[in-house]
Amino acid sequence: MKLTKAIAALAAASLALIAGCTTPTEGTPSSSAGDTSTAASGGSSSGALNITMLPKNLGNPYFDQSTAGAEEAAGEIGATITQVGPTTEGVADSQVEFIEAATQQGVTAIELSANDKDALCDSVKAAQAKGIKVVTFDSDTSCRDLFINQVSVDGVAQSLFEMIEDQTGGSGEIAILSAGANATNQNAWIDALKKLLETKPDIKLDDVVYGDDADQKSFDETKGLLSKYPDLKLIVAPTTVGITAAARYVSSSDKKGKVLVTGLGTPGSMKPYLADGTTKEFALWNPKDLGYLTTYAVKALVDGTITGAEGDKFTAGRLGDYTVGANGEVPLGPAFKFNASNIDQFPWG
Ligand code: RAM
């Protein structure tokens, strides 16, 4: 995707969000009282799709966006989306409970961002045995029908690498503040980034710490990094929760102006830290489009347009045509870098 097209797509999504975003609320496996559900009729539904949306955690602006996109698609195809998920930390244990609850309810499909590559598989396989389609988005498992991948692993790592080079000037100490220690997506990105960093011996990776996509833990881990590594130049947080917490800590500490923060962040949450110089640039894709594409992929799986085999093709509403790639992955598109020159175009997240 050309940069201008990416900007246009992101800006259009921003406007749509301003018009119609819903805020997820807490849900528990045993109670539907706090579930966020959207039902819509009309569109080209092939039957009533009842979809459970299970992000890594709730209250995360990134997943607010992906759920808004899923709801937009649901409105177009006449599906129901019910969002449930861990309320604070992105952890696998409670995701198992939500998968089991959805299985018992007999939903049509589960859209899942996995907090662990393997730990969810018993429950995922039990759901699949009942005919429920399990489509991962954002963070994969080793068991699912399809994975909607925002950006290739190498693509994310390359963006992070470029921002590290730029914001360190090519030398100095860096540390990574990640999400959950078992998060499939972050671990894959970090492994690929480490390979790229091998080509830059003047950049030293001091440590990798984990904030579990919880704001306070991420904040505390940042504090720990700054006191443990006095010569740290840059914190790289490939998590929207982590980067915001790290930027907040750094910008209010005596390291402001000495330590920079970069990684993957939502534009709304990071805008103040671009303004005060805590970050020069950070990246992300369009999480709203990710949720939108995931819901169209679910529809295509359920109505038999695709089976998840490489080469299968389907159409995802306003996003157009997609082809299933190797290993049952559907890529959304490239990452996009936000900086002072473009941040005002993205009033979301
Ligand atoms: C957090 C989550 C999510 C990741 C983004 C970048 O919101 O960890 O999985 O894709 O950051």
Coordinates of all heavy atoms in Angstrom, one line a residue, residues 56 60 62-63 138 150 179 185-186 189 213 238-240 264 284-285, ligand 1:
K56 N -7.1 -9.6 23.7 CA -6.2 -10.0 24.8 C -6.7 -9.4 26.2 O -6.5 -10.1 27.2 CB -4.8 -9.4 24.6 CG -3.9 -10.1 23.6 CD -2.6 -9.4 23.5 CE -1.6 -10.1 22.6 NZ -0.3 -9.3 22.5
N60 N -8.3 -1.5 26.5 CA -7.1 -1.2 25.7 C -7.6 -0.5 24.5 O -8.3 -1.1 23.7 CB -6.5 -2.6 25.4 CG -5.2 -2.5 24.6 OD1 -5.0 -1.5 23.9 ND2 -4.4 -3.5 24.5
Y62 N -6.4 0.0 21.7 CA -6.1 -0.8 20.5 C -7.3 -1.7 20.2 O -7.8 -1.8 19.1 CB -4.8 -1.6 20.6 CG -4.5 -2.5 19.5 CD1 -3.8 -2.1 18.4 CD2 -4.9 -3.8 19.6 CE1 -3.4 -3.0 17.4 CE2 -4.5 -4.7 18.6 CZ -3.8 -4.3 17.5 OH -3.5 -5.2 16.5
F63 N -7.7 -2.5 21.2 CA -8.8 -3.4 21.0 C -10.1 -2.7 20.9 O -11.1 -3.3 20.3 CB -8.8 -4.5 22.1 CG -7.6 -5.5 21.9 CD1 -6.6 -5.5 22.8 CD2 -7.4 -6.2 20.7 CE1 -5.5 -6.3 22.7 CE2 -6.3 -7.1 20.6 CZ -5.4 -7.1 21.5
D138 N -4.5 -10.4 15.2 CA -3.5 -9.7 16.0 C -2.5 -10.6 16.6 O -1.3 -10.4 16.4 CB -4.3 -8.9 17.1 CG -3.3 -8.2 18.0 OD1 -2.6 -7.3 17.6 OD2 -3.2 -8.6 19.2
Q150 N -2.0 -8.6 11.1 CA -2.0 -7.2 10.7 C -0.9 -6.8 9.7 O -1.1 -6.1 8.8 CB -1.9 -6.3 12.0 CG -0.8 -6.7 13.0 CD -1.2 -7.8 14.0 OE1 -1.8 -8.8 13.6 NE2 -0.9 -7.5 15.2
A179 N 4.6 -6.9 26.1 CA 3.3 -7.2 26.7 C 3.4 -8.4 27.5 O 4.3 -8.4 28.4 CB 2.3 -7.3 25.5
N185 N 2.4 -12.6 19.3 CA 2.8 -11.6 18.3 C 4.1 -10.9 18.8 O 5.1 -10.8 18.1 CB 1.7 -10.6 18.0 CG 1.0 -10.0 19.2 OD1 1.2 -10.5 20.4 ND2 0.2 -9.0 19.0
Q186 N 4.1 -10.4 20.0 CA 5.3 -9.7 20.5 C 6.5 -10.6 20.5 O 7.6 -10.1 20.1 CB 5.1 -9.1 21.9 CG 4.4 -7.7 21.9 CD 2.9 -7.8 22.0 OE1 2.3 -8.9 22.2 NE2 2.3 -6.7 21.9
W189 N 7.8 -10.8 16.9 CA 8.4 -9.5 16.5 C 9.8 -9.3 17.2 O 10.7 -8.8 16.5 CB 7.5 -8.3 16.9 CG 6.2 -8.3 16.3 CD1 5.8 -8.9 15.1 CD2 5.0 -7.8 16.8 NE1 4.4 -8.8 14.9 CE2 3.9 -8.0 15.9 CE3 4.7 -7.0 17.9 CZ2 2.6 -7.6 16.1 CZ3 3.4 -6.6 18.2 CH2 2.3 -6.9 17.3
D213 N 0.7 -5.9 29.1 CA -0.4 -5.0 28.6 C -1.3 -4.4 29.7 O -2.4 -4.1 29.5 CB -1.3 -5.7 27.6 CG -0.7 -5.6 26.2 OD1 0.1 -4.7 25.9 OD2 -1.2 -6.3 25.3
P238 N 6.8 -2.7 21.9 CA 5.9 -3.1 20.8 C 4.5 -3.5 21.3 O 3.9 -4.5 20.9 CB 6.7 -4.3 20.2 CG 7.3 -4.9 21.5 CD 7.6 -3.7 22.4
T239 N 4.0 -2.6 22.1 CA 2.6 -2.8 22.7 C 2.0 -1.4 22.9 O 2.7 -0.6 23.5 CB 2.6 -3.6 24.0 OG1 1.8 -3.0 25.0 CG2 4.0 -3.7 24.6
T240 N 0.8 -1.3 22.5 CA 0.2 0.1 22.7 C 0.0 0.5 24.1 O 0.0 1.6 24.4 CB -1.2 0.1 22.0 OG1 -2.0 -1.0 22.5 CG2 -1.1 -0.2 20.5
L264 N 5.1 0.5 19.2 CA 3.8 0.4 18.5 C 2.8 1.1 19.4 O 2.6 0.7 20.5 CB 3.4 -1.0 18.2 CG 4.4 -1.8 17.4 CD1 4.0 -3.3 17.4 CD2 4.6 -1.3 16.0
L284 N 2.1 1.8 13.9 CA 0.9 0.9 14.1 C 0.3 0.7 12.7 O 0.7 1.3 11.7 CB -0.1 1.5 15.0 CG -1.1 0.5 15.7 CD1 -0.3 -0.5 16.6 CD2 -2.2 1.1 16.5
W285 N -0.6 -0.2 12.6 CA -1.5 -0.5 11.5 C -2.8 0.1 11.9 O -3.0 0.7 12.9 CB -1.5 -2.0 11.2 CG -1.6 -2.7 12.4 CD1 -2.8 -3.1 13.0 CD2 -0.6 -3.1 13.3 NE1 -2.5 -3.8 14.2 CE2 -1.1 -3.8 14.4 CE3 0.8 -3.0 13.2 CZ2 -0.4 -4.3 15.4 CZ3 1.6 -3.5 14.2 CH2 1.0 -4.2 15.3
Ligands
RAM1 C1 -1.3 -4.2 22.4 C2 -1.5 -5.7 22.2 C3 -1.7 -6.1 20.8 C4 -0.6 -5.5 19.9 C5 -0.5 -4.0 20.0 C6 0.5 -3.4 19.2 O1 -2.5 -3.5 22.2 O2 -0.4 -6.3 22.8 O3 -1.6 -7.5 20.7 O4 -0.8 -5.9 18.6 O5 -0.3 -3.7 21.4

